[in-house]
Every structure is written in structure tokens, then in C-alpha cells.
Amino acid sequence: MTKQYLKPLALALAVSGALALSACGKQESANTNAPAAASTAPAAAPATGSTTAMADLGKSIFDVSDLDPNVNACQDFNGFVNAKWVAANPIPSDRTRWGAFDQLAEGSLNTQHDIVDKAAKNATSAKAGSIEQKIGLLYQSGMNEDAIEKAGFDPIKPKLEAIAGLKNGSDVADYITKSYVQGDGQVFQFGSGADFQHADMQIAYANEAGLGLPTKDYYSDAKYKDIRDAYVAYIAKALELTGVAEADAKKQAADVLAFETKLAAASLSRVEERDPKNQYHFVTVKAADQATPHFNWEKFFSAQGVTVDKGFSLSQPKFFAEFDKQLTKAPVAQWQAYLRFHTIDDASNYLSKNFQDNKFAFYGKTLSGQPEQKARWKRVLGAVNSSMGEALGQLYVAEMFKPEAKARAQELVDNVRNALKARIQNLDWMSDETKTKAIAKWDTFLPKIGYPDKWRDWSGLTVTGDNYYGNAMAAAKFNYDYDIAKIGKPTDRKDWGMTPQTVNAYYNPTDNTINFPAAILQPPFFDAKADDAINYGGIGAVIGHEASHGFDDEGSQFDGAGNNVNWWTKADRTKFDARTDKLVQQFNNYAPIKDKPDAHVNGKLTLGENIADLGGLNVAYDALQTALKKNPEEAGKKIDGYTQDQRFFLNWARVWRGDVREKQALLYLNVDPHAPASLRAIGAPSNMPAFATAFQCKPGDKMVAPADKQVKIW
């Protein structure tokens, strides 16, 4: 189960490398986690190579033939920029969406495929213990379908037998503790994280989890009954595949749903999850044991080899109270059904085809509307990324990332950050007292570009070429041990939360870093050959977006040191909230799915990303104007008939081009803190007078927000 507390604030829902996030249940990796703080080695200087690992995005840096002259830019800017492209580029059958992000991620996937395929072919001759050998053997084991089919579900029989032997709640608690020791956590999430009050140190976090459906609403809302029924059918089939009789499987499946429904009732909504006060609840171990008298935390920590000094974060007390209650109230047979199913579900992607197909039928087809599974090599590559993502990133960077790209990106980061500072200093609604503290936070931003300064040491991980599930579990334990070894140690601000091959970017509130992996530093975001407008409308706005997260509704609750403290005057926070409320209303009014007029964006859920889009685009626009003042000849020149200001907004919209299947779109509205891409293309520009001026839009046009509703924050 992945760590969910205070997720890094990413530019978009992940699509990189085969690490596309499933909004449903657990990610197939994160827990997959290694022997004590593995030592690090200096990051090798990347070899020269192409910076473009992507499908062709057009005939030129910005192909104006993609624009639709039949659509008025002032009425529907997304349609003007992207409708022709979307119509000509249908969603592939193995995907639930397709657009600029996905296209770039597909290119990254193909590059990674070449790397792992080569590593697999050379695994026997590669240096023993090298990351090349381990990645090659891991990929080789995943592509060995004959061995996987022959094994069936044999790899998980020991776990199923252990579950069958549980006799009472005490046994269940011991089983959960022992499972975590193996990096195979159940029911809740556990790992390291920066202390909200002392962010320079890492502490332990225990967080709610344990659900197989996307959000708590799926367990109670009548409109999700069909999905609940399909989920129960999926559970029953999963149990039957391990030899459980049909009638018993159906009964156990109903028990699983009933058990998860109780956990869901005690869980947070997606909007509630975003509130820092719901992400951190510091307690002593003694107090935690009193809160969950039937689950011994001192025993749990001892088994994990973790020393907890003053305490840890038992982050959601209501959930853990329900968890403890069920250790005594739920019949052991219900616990067994729940643990049995989740053991199968967690392992399905590493087992024989019938398990994989059953899981895809529910999570892929039913929940997301994906017609076909991804090719096996893509699925196995996803497992490689989950298990050894940074190691693969080390090979990716050496092949794909030029040093000059990093240098140019650093220049853009500096320019955009300076523009943000100027905006803060010139705000007309914020007091000098709060501005001073905002600038102090700005001063401590740490930008990280491309890849880590030091690479992880993988010498403690053993991988073979013929045991896919065994390799996944070995990596799970390796990475888990690596993570929890950080507990009680200083926070390393240079640590990365994304791999270099990820097409994304993120801001982390608890270390105040902005992070730009190598794979996003490519067209359409960044092109060394492009004019300033294209780069500032792409990667410049991305940089501004991540920096603005430091001052969104959530990030603004943390200071420059990463501590969750208030640095605002009461009056300024009230003004800030009034401005953000207008942005909430703007996005609440959007109903982005054709023929689903009642399916609206959740303005509260998406608020942080919408603030970051608006702030980031404004900041990047300012940075462009500063750059153009230094180059007046470029400033006055049209390219393909468009001014620099127009090209700036055109590239912003191009970044968000794409389409999504209806089921996936509905799921995103429930779980994704990002607004739909089509709305991100228009949401921020509609609040900017610079956009209206650039395209000569008039009051009353859809792309011109009325003066009383226009949102100005940063």
C-alpha cells in the first residue's frame, strides 16, 4: 500500500513510464520497498544523447496546421488549439486517455523498453550485481510467461495457508505485523515522512488505507451500486481462482465488501485528505497503544526494526479506532476473507494470466472503460519501474538527458522564480508582514532538475531470471526497508519522489522543493530550439505551477522549512480564502463530460492544482515579458502569423490537449485533485487580461471571465 500522507503536489496524474496511477486501491509498488538506508553513490554525469524520447508532436516546433480556424479562440480556446488534433488522434485501445502527456510518456516507455530489453539479453554477461544485470533479470522474469503460467498461484500459497490458520483477532494483528516485515502491508499504510512540526527530521507515519474501491462514497452511494456488484463479483472470481468453491467465494466476497464498508465509513473523503490537520496526528507509542488496545504498536515497531523516540503520527484516529474495533468485533472468518482477497489482488499482476485478466476486467474495463490490456512488455516494465525505478532512471538519464538541457532548464527556473518573487512583492491585497514571510519561504525553495545528485545503492537486492513474484516481493521488502530506515534521521532535501523517466513534475511542502524529472524536459514542454514563448508557455508555466504550490491552499500552510505553521496574518488569510473561493466556484460550474450535465468538477478537490495553474501561468507570462524586453527584436516578430504572447498561450493549451474515455473521466472527477485537462487549457487564461489582449477578446466572450468573477491570487 502506498504512502498517501501529504502527497507531493504533482503537475498531473502520473502517466510516465508504466507508472500510470490506478485510482483504485493500491498502487502495485510503493510498498515494494529495502535493506537499511542503502548507501548512495555519486550520480554519474549523463552521457550525451538525444533529449527527445517521444512520438512526433508535429512538423515544426508549434504546428499551426493543428489549429482549427472554425473555432473562435475567444469562445473555446481548447477547441481552437486542440480539437483537430483530438479528432485525428483517437485513444489507443490499451489506454483510457490520450494526449500530450500520454504521447510523451509513450516515447519514454519505448526508450525504457529498449533499455530493459537490452539489459535482459545481456543479463548473463553483465557485471554481477550491477543494476544492468538486476534490471535485466527482473524484466526477464516478468516476460517468462511459461514459468509464470506453470506456477499458477503457487507463489502465494504460503500466505494463504497462514491466513487460513488465523484463529482470533490477536492472530490477525500478529499477521499484519509480520506481513509488514516482508514489505507486504495490509489494512493501513506505514512508512517514513517529514515531521510536520520538525520537518528537518523523519518520523514514522501510519495512515488509513485498506479499500479496494476508489473512495468511501463508492461503498454507500446508490449511484455506485453497479460498481459495488461488479467488485463483489471480481472478489469472488479471485477467490475461486485459488480453489475456493463458488458458493463459499460469493459469501466471502460479500463479507469483504461489508468489512471494507465499515473501514470506508471511518475514512476521509478526498477533499478531507487534502487538509494537513487530517494528515498528521502525533502521539507517543504508549498513547497509540491506548488508542488501539488490540494492536500493539510497540510490538509492531520492534518487529520492523524501527526505533521510535518521542512518537509517531497515527494520522487518522477515527480510522484506527475502527480498525481496532474490528479486531474484536469482526468474525475471524471475515478477516480471513478480507486478507485472503487482498493477498490475491496485490499479487495478481505477477501471477498467471487468469489472475491478470480477472483484475483487468474490473479495474481496467469496469471502472475505467479501457478496452484492452497493455501489451505484456508494458505491464512488466511497469513492475520494473515499481521495483527498481530509480535504477532504471540512472540508465535512462545516461542515454537520454543532455547536460545542456539541464543548464537551460536551470536558467528558466531562475527566471520564473524571480518573476514569482516580484509578483509577491507587488501584491495589492497582502500586508507587508505576510509578504516578508512569503519571500522568506521563496528564498528557501530548492529546485531539482533532471535526476538525483546521488543514486541509490541496490547491492542488497537479489533478483533472479525465473521468479517474477519472488522478485517483486524481494523488491517490496528492499524498498520498504530503505524507506523505514529513514525514520529518526534527518530529512534529505535532495531525495527524489519521482524517477527521472517520469513525465511529470512536483512540489513537496515538507521540504519546500520543486522537482523537474528529465523526461518532462522535452517538447512540447521544453525545446532548446524553440522561441521563448513556446518554452515559457510550456516548461516555464510548469515551473511556475510547482513554485505556486508553495502558496496554494495546502502549501501555504507550511513555511520555508517545511513545517506546518501559520505565517499569515488573520486578515491576509481571510483575503486569500475569499479569492480562492472564487476559483472553487469557477471550477464547480464546469461539467466537462458530454451528455453528463450533472457531473461537475469538484472545485474544492482541485483547488490546489487550479491555484498552481493560475499562479504558474501568470508568473511564466511575466518571465516571458522580462525575457522579451532583453530581446526586443524577437518580441515584435510574428512566427507562423502569431505573436509571442499568442504562442505563449497556444503552447499552454497544447500541453493539455487530449481526450479521455467516459468511465475514466467520471472516475477522475471523484478521485483526481487535477481538473480535466481540457479545462486546464482554458481555466487560467480566462482569468488573465493578457490572454484577452493577445487574442483581442471582448467582454462577454466565454474566454473572458467577468470582472467580478475574475480570479487574481498570486
Side-chain angles (χ1 to χ4, degrees), residues 61 408 412 416 521-543 620 624 634 644 647-648 651-652 654-655:
I61 288 169
R408 174 62 174 141
L412 287 165
V416 173
L521 299 174
Q522 304 178 66
F525 296 95
F526 171 74
D527 189 335
K529 298 176 292 185
D531 50 300
D532 279 339
I534 294 298
N535 280 327
Y536 280 102
I539 197 64
V542 170
I543 296 164
L624 171 63
E634 182 179 353
Q644 284 283 288
R647 286 171 67 79
F648 170 84
N651 201 39
W652 166 257
R654 176 172 67 158
V655 162

Side-chain angles (χ1 to χ4, degrees), residues 383-711:
V384 174
N385 269 292
S386 297
S387 299
M388 296 186 68
E390 187 175 305
L392 178 55
Q394 189 172 347
L395 303 182
Y396 174 89
V397 165
E399 187 167 319
M400 299 304 301
F401 194 55
K402 288 183 179 180
E404 51 265 38
K406 184 168 185 173
R408 174 62 174 141
Q410 183 64 61
E411 179 186 351
L412 287 165
V413 167
D414 292 341
N415 292 345
V416 173
R417 283 187 65 230
N418 288 335
L420 174 59
K421 181 179 183 179
R423 277 204 160 247
I424 294 171
Q425 291 171 326
N426 293 320
L427 288 175
D428 60 4
W429 59 268
M430 181 180 279
S431 70
D432 289 342
E433 180 181 350
T434 305
K435 282 183 185 179
T436 298
K437 293 178 180 177
I439 294 300
K441 179 170 186 174
W442 176 92
D443 279 332
T444 61
F445 270 139
L446 175 63
K448 295 183 295 188
I449 298 170
Y451 55 91
D453 291 340
K454 292 183 178 180
W455 299 107
R456 277 182 62 182
D457 176 7
W458 297 86
S459 59
L461 175 62
T462 299
V463 181
T464 68
D466 59 357
N467 188 348
Y468 191 34
Y469 179 80
N471 288 338
M473 292 304 99
K477 178 169 173 54
F478 183 84
N479 290 321
Y480 173 69
D481 288 347
Y482 175 80
D483 177 44
I484 64 175
K486 298 175 184 177
I487 294 170
K489 295 180 179 176
T491 296
D492 182 0
R493 296 184 75 205
K494 294 187 177 181
D495 204 11
W496 277 72
M498 279 183 182
T499 64
Q501 63 271 30
T502 301
V503 182
N504 217 328
Y506 72 97
Y507 169 74
N508 188 348
T510 57
D511 63 17
N512 203 27
T513 60
I514 49 178
N515 306 264
F516 309 99
I520 200 172
L521 299 174
Q522 304 178 66
F525 296 95
F526 171 74
D527 189 335
K529 298 176 292 185
D531 50 300
D532 279 339
I534 294 298
N535 280 327
Y536 280 102
I539 197 64
V542 170
I543 296 164
H545 173 102
E546 300 309 337
S548 294
H549 267 312
F551 304 97
D552 71 15
D553 63 312
E554 185 176 24
S556 63
Q557 298 183 57
F558 293 80
D559 66 13
N563 296 313
N564 180 208
V565 297
N566 179 40
W567 48 269
W568 294 69
T569 66
K570 184 176 180 180
D572 286 337
R573 175 57 76 170
T574 299
K575 293 175 186 175
F576 175 80
D577 290 343
R579 289 167 183 267
T580 60
D581 283 348
K582 291 170 69 174
L583 199 58
V584 169
Q585 288 305 313
Q586 177 184 344
F587 279 84
N588 278 344
N589 289 332
Y590 290 130
I593 303 174
K594 186 179 180 181
D595 301 326
K596 297 283 184 181
D598 295 329
H600 285 258
V601 175
N602 185 331
K604 283 282 190 184
L605 177 61
T606 59
L607 179 57
E609 298 301 326
N610 297 333
I611 292 172
D613 277 355
L614 180 59
L617 195 60
N618 271 292
V619 167
Y621 179 80
D622 288 355
L624 171 63
Q625 302 314 307
T626 299
L628 293 178
K629 285 179 182 177
K630 297 177 181 177
N631 188 359
E633 186 174 314
E634 182 179 353
K637 183 171 62 176
K638 287 187 176 182
I639 300 176
D640 294 330
Y642 291 91
T643 66
Q644 284 283 288
D645 279 16
Q646 289 174 328
R647 286 171 67 79
F648 170 84
F649 288 109
L650 290 172
N651 201 39
W652 166 257
R654 176 172 67 158
V655 162
W656 301 111
R657 69 172 31 156
D659 197 8
V660 60
R661 299 187 190 281
E662 184 177 287
K663 285 186 176 181
Q664 184 68 79
L666 287 167
L667 182 59
Y668 281 160
L669 289 181
N670 293 327
V671 303
D672 189 3
H674 306 84
S678 60
L679 300 179
R680 298 181 75 176
I682 65 172
S686 69
N687 286 301
M688 295 175 62
F691 173 84
T693 299
F695 288 91
Q696 299 178 339
C697 302
K698 300 177 178 61
D701 288 340
K702 290 182 179 179
M703 283 299 301
V704 181
D708 62 330
K709 294 183 178 180
Q710 195 173 100
V711 186

